[in-house]
Amino acid sequence: MLPTSLLSRRTQIDDSPNGLTLALERARSLGKPILDLTVSNPTVAGIDYDARSILDALALPGALTYEPSPFGMTEARAAVAKYLSESGAPANASHIVLTASTSEAYAFLFKLLADPGDEVLVPRPSYPLLEHLARVEGVRCVPYRLAYDGAWHLDFKSVESAISAHTRAVVIVQPNNPTGSYLTSEELDALGSLGLPIISDEVFSSYPLRACVGSTSHRPAVRAPLTFALGGLSKLAALPQVKLAWIAVGGEDANVSAALDRLEIIADTFLSVGTPVQLGASALLETRGRAERSIRNRARTNLERLRLAIAGSAVSVLDVEAGWYATMRLPRTKTEEAWTVGFVEQDGVYVHPGHFFDFEEEAYVVASLLTREVDFAEGVARIVRRVSEGD
């Protein structure tokens, strides 16, 4: 084995198993069936796809020819710009940069905006992948607070106090994962007034959970000197395996031009997006509706059943506007780890503890609304029953 002293510190993480991981391993080794309420892969969740059209889009004859282009093929970028414009955010195809994933888009932007040791501000609670993505680029994540009082709000004072001489950008997630909350236009304006680039992760924006969500603009504030809106087929078309995402660059003209010049150098270094998916991008975007409707219907159905199942119990559901996740608040009679380990060992149910997403207090658990309806309903019923029994 290679001595760890020869490897970078940025890839050194504590991967020792926690109590929940060990409980899952024990249950599975004994052959105990587990209702997994953390499902995040739509391709194994029984989602309804336009399979024929998807496969046809990936089998075009032009895929046998390789013509590298740093920002991606013109036709594919135009297809993304068309989708964004139809969604209410006018986009210039020349300002679109294609990547193989949203994770790669973050990596490109951290390279573009920050040097090793610099900082980016990220929401808390939010998805833990952000910290890993920043770490491997030598960048430090500094959290700002999302506060909950029946609805989620930006704690702007926490943003101001997090800013230092090393701050290079603010990350926002619209809607946030797992809280499913949007920043308001006023909150976006406040962030824009800071004069920092804004990275807006919008991968879950096509999955509203209530009708009024579409009435508010979810784009970064136009007063920011640079904005980078991220999206991709992984969530939009429920196709994580095809590996196509994008960065839509906006802001002041001079800054946009300079950023694109630098991004071209970065993108040209990797050339990571495959030809077949670029050729099929327009068709894949056109066929997304079937999977999108399937996921929307399931997520809304599961959320409604969750609310009905917890009625009159000690479990409550936090407000959620969009996305694939729901957060449940449990009694503080136990720690999150005790609750989640108990759910696995006693009830055969797996949910994420809130601390996985850096919730600032206990006890919360997060369940995926992408889970098959029958499994979700049974898993929630078991959780409510266990909480009611208090064991």
Side-chain angles (χ1 to χ4, degrees):
M1 181 179 293
L2 192 67
T4 57
S5 60
L6 300 179
L7 305 176
S8 70
R9 289 190 298 275
R10 73 178 71 181
T11 57
Q12 183 178 3
I13 61 172
D14 181 7
D15 58 357
S16 55
N18 56 40
L20 178 57
T21 301
L22 293 172
L24 277 170
E25 290 176 352
R26 286 193 299 269
R28 287 168 174 162
S29 69
L30 295 171
K32 182 177 181 179
I34 299 293
L35 289 174
D36 186 354
L37 270 57
T38 70
V39 175
S40 61
N41 180 357
T43 68
V44 296
I47 297 303
D48 182 26
Y49 288 93
D50 186 353
R52 185 68 269 160
S53 296
I54 292 168
L55 294 174
D56 287 347
L58 295 171
L60 299 176
L64 295 175
T65 301
Y66 179 50
E67 297 179 0
S69 176
F71 287 165
M73 299 175 67
T74 301
E75 298 86 347
R77 295 164 69 198
V80 171
K82 179 175 181 286
Y83 155 71
L84 292 173
S85 297
E86 290 174 349
S87 300
N92 185 336
S94 66
H95 295 174
I96 302 292
V97 180
L98 302 184
T99 64
S101 65
T102 310
S103 294
E104 184 176 66
Y106 275 113
F108 280 14
L109 294 176
F110 291 157
K111 290 179 177 72
L112 172 71
L113 299 171
D115 291 312
D118 282 339
E119 300 169 351
V120 294
L121 307 188
V122 299
R124 177 177 290 178
S126 196
Y127 193 55
L129 181 62
L130 292 174
E131 186 167 349
H132 293 294
L133 293 171
R135 183 183 177 93
V136 296
E137 297 299 330
V139 177
R140 178 171 172 257
C141 284
V142 178
Y144 62 86
R145 182 171 176 259
L146 299 179
Y148 188 77
D149 63 358
W152 290 98
H153 304 283
L154 172 67
D155 180 352
F156 189 66
K157 289 184 178 179
S158 74
V159 178
E160 293 178 308
S161 64
I163 294 174
S164 76
H166 298 285
T167 305
R168 294 294 177 262
V170 180
V171 174
I172 63 176
V173 186
Q174 295 277 82
N176 190 40
N177 178 17
T179 63
S181 56
Y182 283 108
L183 298 179
T184 66
S185 296
E186 293 76 17
E187 290 169 338
L188 290 174
D189 287 342
L191 290 175
S193 70
L194 297 171
L196 291 165
I198 294 178
I199 301 171
S200 180
D201 184 335
E202 301 172 3
V203 298
F204 284 108
S205 63
S206 56
Y207 297 101
L209 292 170
R210 59 191 192 207
C212 62
V213 165
S215 63
T216 302
S217 172
H218 303 140
R219 314 302 292 188
V222 294
R223 288 189 293 154
L226 267 177
T227 63
F228 304 94
L230 311 186
L233 295 186
S234 176
K235 302 299 187 297
L236 178 63
L239 293 172
Q241 73 276 35
V242 302
K243 311 309 294 180
L244 181 67
W246 52 82
I247 305 167
V249 186
E252 298 168 5
D253 289 345
N255 292 331
V256 169
S257 179
L260 288 169
D261 286 345
R262 298 287 187 94
L263 276 170
E264 185 171 13
I265 296 170
I266 296 169
D268 194 36
T269 302
F270 294 92
L271 295 171
S272 54
V273 185
T275 298
V277 72
Q278 292 188 72
L279 288 172
S282 179
L284 292 170
L285 284 165
E286 289 293 330
T287 62
R288 74 183 188 278
R290 192 157 155 185
E292 194 176 66
R293 286 190 296 272
S294 180
I295 292 172
R296 282 183 182 177
N297 291 339
R298 179 178 296 181
R300 290 172 175 177
T301 296
N302 280 339
L303 181 60
E304 179 61 25
R305 288 177 178 174
L306 171 60
R307 287 170 172 158
L308 290 173
I310 66 168
S313 77
V315 180
S316 59
V317 178
L318 273 59
D319 183 60
V320 57
E321 297 179 81
W324 293 357
Y325 294 93
T327 301
M328 290 175 271
R329 179 159 43 199
L330 307 180
R332 295 184 185 178
T333 53
K334 296 181 184 180
T335 65
E336 287 173 352
E337 182 167 294
W339 278 120
T340 54
V341 168
F343 293 151
V344 169
E345 293 181 339
Q346 298 172 285
D347 306 294
V349 178
Y350 174 36
V351 288
H352 284 309
H355 64 73
F356 181 79
F357 301 93
D358 282 334
F359 278 77
E360 63 184 3
E361 58 183 21
E362 297 202 11
Y364 298 96
V365 295
V366 176
S368 169
L369 299 173
L370 193 62
T371 309
R372 294 173 190 264
E373 290 96 325
V374 172
D375 291 344
F376 189 85
E378 177 60 25
V380 168
R382 295 182 190 182
I383 288 172
V384 171
R385 185 165 57 248
R386 179 61 54 192
V387 171
S388 298
E389 293 173 355
D391 295 336

